Amino acid sequence: MAAGSRRPPLEYAAVLVGANILADSQAENVDVQLRDVVLEATSRIPSFSGYRRYMLDSGLVFDCYRDSWRGLDFACLAHEGVRMEFVRAFLEAFRNLMDKNHSTVEVEAAGPFGLQGTFGDEICELLATYNRPDADRVQAIQEKVDALRGDLVEAMDRLLLRGDVIQTLQDRSQLLNDTAVQFRTQAHAVRRRIRWRRLACPIAAVVIGLLLITVGLWTACGLTFEHC
């Protein structure tokens, strides 16, 4: 590395199938051949799926995302001190770039360095983008923005949930109020029926008594009361 030159955060990236490199690129200002380092690191790591990070004796960190479904390893060498979130963001962009520009058939048909002519330049451009002096700071800001967006979405979800709960309570309160009104109406009707039933017996007795008296008088005195 030339004196006074800035050491890039991400020094090397490659996509592999097993022990075969399909395409790779090394960052500028890196004068050490890193291809063999990645091949050796890849051969030593155990079987896994997803993202892994390993510290190497050379002072570098080896980050790898293994796509078990396609049988691909997306590997990156970065120097110590580079945030893991930054490298993972690079590997995610690396994978998306592969998926966007190279079909599964093309990848499966490629032999060792079979994609170097096209994908190698794309990896180089991606490394240059992530190795800009402000790239990590921009990525960190983006992560904070994403975290804030997530918090806002969660807060909105809680507010909506709280609103649903309040609406449910209001609906239940209205239902209870309607039920209470209906109960009072039915209670008044029952009380009225009970009062009429209580009054019906004395009234009926009075009417029957009057009828009996009238019939007795008619029997004794005649219908016109001429015999009384």
Side-chain angles (χ1 to χ4, degrees):
M1 185 181 297
S5 60
R6 186 183 70 90
R7 186 176 182 179
L10 309 179
E11 301 191 0
Y12 176 84
V15 56
L16 306 89
V17 175
N20 295 322
I21 295 176
L22 300 182
D24 68 349
S25 182
Q26 191 159 301
E28 296 181 357
N29 299 328
V30 178
D31 53 11
V32 179
Q33 180 55 250
L34 298 175
R35 181 176 291 167
D36 293 337
V37 176
V38 166
L39 287 173
E40 181 180 2
T42 305
S43 66
R44 288 185 176 183
I45 60 177
S47 177
F48 72 96
S49 179
Y51 178 83
R52 291 290 187 277
R53 162 170 276 208
Y54 300 92
M55 298 296 299
L56 304 181
D57 295 337
S58 59
L60 296 172
V61 289
F62 173 69
D63 294 86
C64 182
Y65 182 88
R66 177 161 292 174
D67 186 344
S68 300
W69 184 72
R70 300 178 65 182
L72 297 176
D73 286 338
F74 296 88
C76 176
L77 287 176
H79 66 77
E80 290 180 313
V82 178
R83 295 184 311 113
M84 182 174 63
E85 293 80 7
F86 180 68
V87 182
R88 294 187 72 165
F90 168 79
L91 290 176
E92 181 68 22
F94 192 4
R95 293 168 51 215
N96 292 337
L97 188 64
M98 168 71 102
D99 294 339
K100 178 181 178 182
N101 297 336
H102 300 279
S103 66
T104 302
V105 174
E106 183 182 1
V107 172
E108 291 177 349
F113 297 100
L115 300 179
Q116 186 66 27
T118 55
F119 198 38
D121 293 337
E122 296 172 2
I123 300 173
C124 182
E125 293 178 2
L126 188 63
L127 279 172
T129 298
Y130 275 79
N131 280 331
R132 293 197 310 262
D134 61 341
D136 192 16
R137 183 171 60 86
V138 172
Q139 179 64 29
I141 293 174
Q142 183 62 46
E143 290 171 3
K144 291 181 180 179
V145 171
D146 292 340
L148 287 174
R149 184 184 296 113
D151 292 341
L152 287 174
V153 171
E154 184 179 354
M156 290 297 296
D157 290 341
R158 286 199 299 267
L159 286 174
L160 291 174
L161 179 60
R162 185 179 302 171
D164 292 340
V165 172
I166 292 174
Q167 183 62 44
T168 300
L169 291 175
Q170 289 176 342
D171 293 341
R172 291 181 179 179
S173 177
Q174 184 63 40
L175 178 61
L176 289 173
N177 184 62
D178 294 342
T179 303
V181 171
Q182 184 179 6
F183 178 78
R184 286 195 298 269
T185 302
Q186 293 176 349
H188 289 317
V190 170
R191 283 197 295 270
R192 284 196 298 270
R193 286 197 298 269
I194 291 173
R195 282 198 299 268
W196 278 111
R197 287 177 183 176
R198 289 176 178 176
L199 291 174
C201 291
I203 292 174
V206 171
V207 171
I208 292 172
L210 290 175
L211 287 175
L212 291 174
I213 293 172
T214 302
V215 170
L217 290 174
W218 283 345
T219 302
C221 302
L223 293 176
T224 58
F225 300 99
E226 59 184 10
H227 300 298
C228 291

